DNA sequence: CACGTTATGACAACACCGTTGACCTGGAAA
DNA sequence: TTTCCAGGTCAACGGTGTTGTCATAACGTG
């Protein structure tokens, strides 16, 4: 077998399926995205995708080496969708907020693609464009280079990691997702004040807060901290304690 | 069938397996964690776990309702490993920093398991203890209830999501991980200043920064923003939107 | 227009997976 | 000593991704 997949631009004979559809990389990726959006997390299987396309499942292996290959193609399309919609205004804080929320929202629309994707460095066109855009916003705002890179790193990793976390929740089978909702209402909200005073005291707030994503609040906090540092750079004074705390990094990896 | 699983404390007859091992919740969870660590996340299947334990796969269904139930038990054990080591000092900011870095580190020690579990709400003992502890630290520091819950949410989700992001990198096959490292050095560091001025200007810093985790820096920014809000609550001026009157907190639990 | 070539879709099979109903058996309780 | 049933075992079901083989329609060529 070895190499049955052919690059899209090298295709010459487009033969219709038994059911009449003409396959293409583009059609397959779009159908996969639609399948995910319409029927939830577990709906993306080779067999179901084949059925949705009106083709034998094995026909897909003429277009993608395996399911991971297919998912990366979906991921690339996702990044593009986010970036193509973004229009910067020139106000750095508003622009980062908008971009962060847009990325987060677009990833939530396709949870399992986000899950398998958002920890990868692709080095492809859209990703490069994103890096350039964000760094431009920060340097344009007056952040010194080193600080701009640090804030960029936090911003991007935070956005992607929250996207993954929230996507993981969305990607859960319906039963498990309801069980998580129920854990807050059924378990935490009923703990006695004697044994768990802090949970008991905050239970109503806790139930309401944990039902939604923490990303918007986390983003605001990071933006606020970034602005504070920007002020410190512009009007130099003593840096706030812990601003450069010595902490172990992850190491080269 | 309906209910074949029996709670651990209600077990009375412990019959050895055909191969001689005596099963228990504890033994199964530990074996699962070992399996994941040694052979990757994909190695955790009921059949393989059964084989590793020297038992029929279906025997596990006497201890866990399904594989998801087992996974939640693994997740809680992971939380427990962090929590058992933690000793609070009473200084809220230092305690949260320590706890966050400890959790992050412990999750990195089991990247594959972290990936599978860190988006889950287990509702089990260790998780409850963690919630109570963190809320106690924040309320003890003087955060009003609503603010304490909000900061708790950001802190926990940020820690877990970064843990997942960094775990995903660690869990990549060696080849893919090297490819990511190379993308920064080989692709980004070589982009021409004409087309990508911001990347080119910051390339050396970028390569150095992106090689490590963004979590410590992100954590510092969130802690700084939290402290700023706490200050606003304590020395009343124009309160930040959403802030409430201060409530005397209790000591850390 | 007819003719090979061959790209590409279809089929069938493989090895796994989680899960469950029925069975059997040995340990504990009486 | 007897009884009972918790708990381990077996076999089967329907699902999954993947691939070796075959059939055929679409193309380049004459």
């Amino acid at each position: 077998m070895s190499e049955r997949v052919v690059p899209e631009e090298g295709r010459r004979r487009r033969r219709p399926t038994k059911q009449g559809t003409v396959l293409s990389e583009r059609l397959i990726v779009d159908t996969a995205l639609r399948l995910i959006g319409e029927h939830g997390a577990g709906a993306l299987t080779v067999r179901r995708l084949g059925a949705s396309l009106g083709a034998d499942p094995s026909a897909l292996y003429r277009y993608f080496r395996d399911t991971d290959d297919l998912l990366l193609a979906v991921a690339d399309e996702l990044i593009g969708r986010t970036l193509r919609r973004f229009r910067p205004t020139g106000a750095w804080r508003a622009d980062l907020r908008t971009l962060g929320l847009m990325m987060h929202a677009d990833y939530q629309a396709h949870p399992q693609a986000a899950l398998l994707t958002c920890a990868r460095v692709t080095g492809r066109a859209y990703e490069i464009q994103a890096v350039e855009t964000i760094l431009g916003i920060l340097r344009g705002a007056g952040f010194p280079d080193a600080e701009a890179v640090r804030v960029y790193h936090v911003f991007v990793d935070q956005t992607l990691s929250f996207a993954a976390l929230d996507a993981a929740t969305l990607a859960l089978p319906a039963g498990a997702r309801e069980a998580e909702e129920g854990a807050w209402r059924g378990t935490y909200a009923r703990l006695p004040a004697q044994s768990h005073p802090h949970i008991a005291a905050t239970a109503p707030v806790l139930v309401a807060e944990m039902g939604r994503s923490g990303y918007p609040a986390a983003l605001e906090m990071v933006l606020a901290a970034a602005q504070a540092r920007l002020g410190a750079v512009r009007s130099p004074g003593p840096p706030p304690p812990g601003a450069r705390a010595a902490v172990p990094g992850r190491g080269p990896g």
Side-chain angles (χ1 to χ4, degrees), chain A:
Chain A
M1 183 75 19
S2 61
E3 276 316 313
R4 72 202 305 172
V5 55
V6 170
E8 183 72 6
E9 58 274 15
R11 288 188 181 273
R12 341 197 70 217
R13 310 182 184 177
R14 321 218 67 129
R15 153 139 78 136
T17 271
K18 225 177 194 181
Q19 301 186 30
T21 52
V22 175
L23 296 180
S24 72
E25 216 170 86
R26 170 104 217 159
L27 176 64
I28 296 174
V29 168
D30 286 350
T31 305
L33 269 173
R34 187 172 53 74
L35 209 55
I36 292 170
E38 285 177 4
H39 301 100
L44 185 61
T45 73
V46 177
R47 294 172 135 89
R48 255 195 286 253
L49 182 52
S52 268
L53 284 162
D56 188 272
S58 65
L60 302 180
Y61 289 84
R62 303 281 183 202
Y63 294 82
F64 301 98
R65 197 143 12 85
D66 49 31
T67 43
D68 192 61
D69 197 21
L70 165 63
L71 269 158
L72 288 184
V74 171
D76 201 54
E77 168 64 16
L78 255 191
I79 297 176
R81 285 184 184 191
T82 302
L83 220 51
R84 288 192 298 258
R85 288 170 44 216
F86 176 64
R87 294 286 173 273
T89 68
W92 72 270
R93 199 168 163 173
D95 281 350
L96 285 188
R97 179 181 299 118
T98 302
L99 189 55
L101 293 175
M102 276 178 57
M103 290 178 75
H104 187 263
D106 280 343
Y107 272 96
Q108 298 318 289
H110 305 280
Q112 58 277 70
L115 264 182
L116 296 177
T117 279
C118 63
R120 311 285 287 267
V121 180
T122 72
R124 299 183 65 157
Y126 280 125
E127 188 191 67
I128 293 176
Q129 188 185 329
V131 177
E132 179 68 13
T133 300
I134 298 169
L135 279 177
I137 290 174
L138 288 168
R139 294 179 79 223
F143 285 92
D145 285 0
E147 195 65 24
V149 167
R150 206 169 301 127
V151 173
Y152 160 79
H153 189 191
V154 168
F155 173 78
V156 162
D157 276 17
Q158 187 182 59
T159 301
L160 292 179
S161 66
F162 268 86
L165 188 75
D166 295 333
T169 302
L170 281 183
L172 249 35
R177 202 160 66 247
E178 285 158 15
E180 307 225 329
E181 175 79 10
W184 291 107
R185 258 177 240 290
T187 302
Y188 282 92
R190 290 182 189 163
L191 289 173
Q194 269 201 336
S195 59
H196 301 83
H198 301 296
I199 293 177
T202 58
V205 197
L206 203 54
V207 169
E209 173 73 26
M210 299 313 286
R212 53 173 183 267
S213 168
Y215 177 66
L219 176 60
E220 284 314 319
M221 293 182 87
V222 161
L223 291 179
Q227 183 147 58
R229 287 200 199 174
L230 184 58
V233 165
R234 281 176 168 162
S235 57
R244 295 286 187 86
V247 282
R250 187 178 40 173

